[in-house]
Amino acid sequence: MCGIIGYLGKGNAIDIVLRGLKRLEYRGYDSAGVAFFNGGDFEIRRCKGKIRDLEALIQVSLNSNLAVGHTRWATHGVPADHNAHPHCSDSVVLVHNGIIENYLVLKEELTSLGYQFTSETDTEVIVHLIEHFHRDMPLEEAVREATGRLHGAFALVVVSRKTPDMMVGVRKDSPLVMGISEDGYFLASDVPAFLEWTRRVVFLEDSEMAVVTPDGYRIVTFDGREVHRSPTTVDWTASMADKGGYRHYMLKEIHEQPSSIANTLRGRIDLSRMAVNPGEFMLPDGLLTSINRVFIVACGTSWHAGLVGKYMIESLCRIPVEVDLASEFRYRRSLISRGDLFVVITQSGETADTLAAQREAKRQGAFTLSICNVIGSSSAREADAVFYLHSGPEIGVASTKAFTSQLVALYLFSLLMAEARGQIDSSLRRQMLQDVMGIPEKVEGVLKRESEIEEMARRYSNSKDFLYLGRGILYPVALEGALKLKEISYIHAEGYPAGEMKHGPIALIDEQMPTVFLVQAGELRRKVFSNIEEVTARGGRVIVFKSEDVRDPIPSAEHIFEVPRTNEFLEPVLMAVPLQLLAYYIGVRKGYDVDQPRNLAKSVTVE
Ligand code: M6R
């Protein structure tokens, strides 16, 4: 939930770390800090607020070869200068992402040994603990000893006044990657932090440490075993992680969807056969025909994608699908077995609950498939098979382009499984693949009508509550529309299956409250029309997002936004886009920081 970075090399370490922190600010943004070696000692600057507040405290022109930085999302202790990282003891300085579960016990122990605490953070126990061991042993060993005492999740970058030409990175259940450039070494929570300087990376595994000096690096496990791992080259570029002229990352990422969806599709369809390339999901031969059940587990927006996936897979493949929230699944005595396929959906690949659920499923013998965006992330590395979204870095805290790529990935997966299980004839399969190949252009068409949504946002931005209703495959899209709105505009919004309206939410309707209806063609639309009538009969305000295929007049709606015709399984993609724009423009009108909404973090790497 926090972002950490360390740099050791010939470049200007202060400038590099500050720039890296800006790339990591999506992970947490209530406080920030850096520590840099000034040739004689480490200087620390830290404060509550954003990176720009921190910059005001630092002279970037200072020369330094070694610096560490942190951008915070508070877990223990309010956002305040004294709780901001880096934390330091006599000789040790460090930054931390994660949560130390046994910090109270350790704090008591260290206090009795004479260590004084100046913050309310759990992190401060780590720094004193390392200091304690470092009195008699070199930094690497001291870090190893200390990590052996920590329970919880932690990624660390540690430096010492005694050896100011070394940094030690530690990874345990929180992400840490190393970047290697001509001029130096980086340790960071995420690749975009150093993409400006290098694309050569080494992904650390759990329970590993990286010991970096000007002469090179070593990777060692917590029990001291040397690990040899060659760097890989990621295909992201620095400009992919820029705002590219847009006012916000979120808007840029919404607009990227024609290309991000095209990237998800690229190479996945065998055009000569008009079939999904089986190799793309990396599944062993026979798996799709032998499984009895599919589990899909995820959090937040990725969970909504999973719910859409259930409709796709059950309809097209005729196999039962269970969709669960990872935070529920991991603590439920779930009945999962070897005959089940366990699909996790995660943009970041680092969501703590999703990873825990994935590990639990693996432990119980299920085959795990990760549908993931971040290459080399924990979920991707630990899964038996991975399908990468290739939608490029998603920086805005609200997930947008990853969601539509997840839907496309699930669509391809459903078609692959339907074919393997003999549930789809070749002409329908061909047609459905043609349909998905046409989606980027249709999304482009929706985006061209952005001004209609801006106008809608103007009209409704003062509303206090919103209701989003949809049926069938559009029900999870209603959930997603409501989630986007509450994340970005802090307006209370609820998503519901339209058929449930009369079982409770109808009580909320009054002259002030807008209800957003999502309508697709088919018999069920008439039932949704009845819901619309019921809302207007109570003076409620109605906004309709509908497919071009729905031709019925809807006189009682204040606004109707039409998305282009496609097949029913792809309508969620086209409906999601205007809902993202609506949330975005309402958030912007209200003057909020839509890229970094309050209390949220991009990657929820703690429980
Ligand atoms: O990286 P993941 O897909 O695992 O993240 C899951 C959720 O934390 C994420 O979708 C969250 O709900 C976003 N804020 C949604 O916009």
Side-chain angles (χ1 to χ4, degrees):
M1 314 281 289
C2 304
I4 63 175
I5 180 168
Y7 172 80
L8 172 64
K10 296 185 192 134
N12 178 342
I14 301 173
D15 184 43
I16 288 172
V17 162
L18 279 173
R19 280 156 73 167
L21 281 181
K22 285 183 193 154
R23 301 272 191 206
L24 290 173
E25 208 173 10
Y26 70 91
R27 301 179 67 89
Y29 32 80
D30 59 50
S31 328
V34 292
F36 55 92
F37 187 64
N38 66 11
D41 198 359
F42 279 100
E43 288 186 40
I44 297 179
R45 305 278 189 279
R46 52 185 194 167
C47 63
K48 178 183 166 185
K50 307 268 186 185
I51 314 287
R52 58 174 178 269
D53 302 309
L54 175 68
E55 279 177 317
L57 307 177
I58 300 173
Q59 236 183 302
V60 177
S61 56
L62 285 172
N63 242 346
S64 174
N65 65 321
L66 175 59
V68 295
H70 189 271
T71 173
R72 181 168 188 248
W73 186 89
T75 58
H76 296 65
V78 293
D81 292 357
H82 68 283
N83 286 329
H85 300 214
H87 288 282
C88 69
S89 202
D90 285 349
S91 56
V92 176
V93 180
L94 63 77
V95 286
H96 166 221
N97 169 31
I99 284 183
I100 304 304
E101 288 166 0
N102 58 337
Y103 85 103
L104 283 174
V105 179
L106 293 171
K107 192 168 181 174
E108 214 173 288
E109 191 180 320
L110 289 159
T111 307
S112 71
L113 289 171
Y115 290 94
Q116 285 178 3
F117 285 77
T118 55
S119 77
E120 291 100 50
T121 64
D122 53 340
T123 303
E124 209 181 342
V125 300
I126 316 176
V127 81
H128 292 315
L129 197 59
I130 297 176
E131 180 74 45
H132 184 65
F133 293 113
H134 193 28
R135 285 185 175 168
D136 310 313
M137 49 180 86
L139 185 64
E140 178 183 339
E141 280 172 49
V143 171
R144 183 175 298 118
E145 283 298 325
T147 52
R149 299 285 318 278
L150 302 176
H151 297 171
F154 45 92
L156 308 170
V157 182
V158 191
V159 293
S160 163
R161 291 184 166 108
K162 294 183 190 170
T163 46
D165 56 353
M166 172 187 278
M167 62 179 179
V168 177
V170 178
R171 175 186 174 136
K172 163 85 190 349
D173 292 335
S174 286
L176 192 69
V177 286
M178 180 161 61
I180 304 166
S181 75
E182 296 282 296
D183 290 335
Y185 298 93
F186 304 79
L187 288 166
S189 303
D190 202 353
V191 174
F194 51 72
L195 262 183
E196 203 178 328
W197 297 278
T198 185
R199 293 194 291 142
R200 288 183 73 217
V201 302
V202 176
F203 293 101
L204 294 189
E205 299 283 350
D206 263 343
S207 307
E208 283 183 354
M209 292 168 42
V211 183
V212 183
T213 66
D215 302 327
Y217 68 89
R218 285 185 306 117
I219 298 177
V220 276
T221 59
F222 284 4
D223 49 19
R225 203 168 31 83
E226 294 259 349
V227 176
H228 298 281
R229 187 170 306 133
S230 310
T232 51
T233 303
V234 293
D235 60 2
W236 292 359
T237 60
S239 64
M240 285 167 91
D242 273 345
K243 282 192 198 152
Y246 286 93
R247 188 165 161 203
H248 294 103
Y249 283 114
M250 183 177 174
L251 189 61
K252 175 189 173 226
E253 287 158 8
I254 291 172
H255 276 267
E256 274 173 349
Q257 290 176 105
S259 63
S260 56
I261 293 171
N263 286 339
T264 304
L265 287 170
R266 186 157 297 123
R268 265 63 194 262
I269 299 170
D270 175 349
L271 295 173
S272 61
R273 243 174 25 91
M274 274 309 264
V276 178
N277 268 326
E280 292 298 320
F281 282 89
M282 297 167 43
L283 301 172
D285 289 348
L287 183 108
L288 290 178
T289 45
S290 65
I291 51 171
N292 306 319
R293 202 169 41 155
V294 178
F295 269 87
I296 303 180
V297 170
C299 299
T301 289
S302 299
W303 177 67
H304 298 155
L307 290 171
V308 174
K310 177 182 168 79
Y311 284 89
M312 293 175 177
I313 299 168
E314 288 189 342
S315 293
L316 292 169
C317 312
R318 310 304 300 146
I319 184 171
V321 180
E322 280 193 35
V323 186
D324 215 337
L325 286 159
S327 52
E328 289 298 317
F329 176 87
R330 65 182 290 193
Y331 292 115
R332 201 154 52 84
R333 290 172 62 209
S334 51
L335 295 168
I336 187 156
S337 65
R338 285 187 185 280
D340 295 328
L341 172 62
F342 193 87
V343 181
V344 299
I345 307 176
T346 168
Q347 186 285 131
S348 62
E350 301 294 351
T351 302
D353 284 323
T354 307
L355 277 174
Q358 179 177 333
R359 287 171 188 152
E360 176 57 20
K362 210 165 171 174
R363 197 187 62 75
Q364 293 188 38
F367 186 93
T368 53
L369 165 67
S370 170
I371 296 181
C372 183
N373 192 34
V374 177
I375 295 174
S377 60
S378 301
S379 173
R381 282 178 296 118
E382 292 179 25
D384 297 306
V386 190
F387 181 91
Y388 281 119
L389 299 176
H390 295 314
S391 35
E394 193 182 62
I395 310 290
V397 165
S399 188
T400 53
K401 64 175 178 173
F403 178 64
T404 47
S405 284
Q406 288 165 344
L407 299 182
V408 166
L410 287 159
Y411 182 86
L412 294 179
F413 175 75
S414 310
L415 288 178
L416 179 68
M417 179 144 74
E419 186 190 358
R421 295 175 79 93
Q423 295 288 348
I424 190 167
D425 65 44
S426 63
S427 63
L428 179 58
R429 188 188 71 221
R430 281 167 182 277
Q431 182 54 54
M432 290 186 72
L433 287 173
Q434 290 289 359
D435 291 345
V436 75
M437 285 158 60
I439 285 294
E441 203 184 321
K442 291 188 171 168
V443 171
E444 191 80 66
V446 172
L447 289 168
K448 285 203 176 113
R449 289 162 43 219
E450 191 173 6
S451 56
E452 289 176 47
I453 304 285
E454 235 183 308
E455 167 56 21
M456 216 183 265
R458 191 191 58 73
R459 201 154 161 190
Y460 298 102
S461 59
N462 289 327
S463 305
K464 299 271 176 283
D465 305 276
F466 269 74
L467 195 57
Y468 284 70
L469 301 176
R471 280 195 90 119
I473 202 165
L474 294 185
Y475 152 54
V477 185
L479 292 178
E480 176 60 8
L483 177 68
K484 283 290 89 81
L485 186 71
K486 66 186 123 184
E487 284 188 298
I488 299 306
S489 68
Y490 317 145
I491 293 175
H492 167 241
E494 288 198 44
Y496 251 93
E500 276 289 296
M501 191 184 90
K502 286 210 269 297
H503 298 281
I506 196 166
L508 297 171
I509 288 161
D510 62 16
E511 295 74 27
Q512 314 303 325
M513 194 172 80
T515 301
V516 175
F517 281 96
L518 311 182
V519 194
Q520 64 183 168
E523 275 314 297
L524 277 179
R525 77 186 192 290
R526 296 187 199 286
K527 297 188 188 296
V528 182
F529 292 148
S530 304
N531 294 137
I532 294 177
E533 294 303 333
E534 284 151 9
V535 170
T536 40
R538 283 154 186 84
R541 309 175 71 182
V542 170
I543 307 168
V544 171
F545 291 85
K546 72 172 189 72
S547 153
E548 198 186 330
D549 275 344
V550 177
R551 305 220 173 275
D552 320 63
I554 316 175
S556 45
E558 286 184 7
H559 269 285
I560 300 179
F561 187 93
E562 202 167 82
V563 301
R565 177 182 306 123
T566 182
N567 75 51
E568 61 181 305
F569 301 105
L570 291 170
E571 272 170 354
V573 179
L574 299 182
M575 293 271 181
V577 177
L579 297 183
Q580 295 165 351
L581 285 170
L582 182 63
Y584 171 80
Y585 280 112
I586 291 182
V588 167
R589 283 197 73 82
K590 292 177 86 70
Y592 296 136
D593 183 349
V594 295
D595 279 338
Q596 297 175 354
R598 72 180 179 209
N599 304 338
L600 293 178
K602 180 68 183 161
S603 186
V604 186
T605 55
V606 293
E607 265 193 273

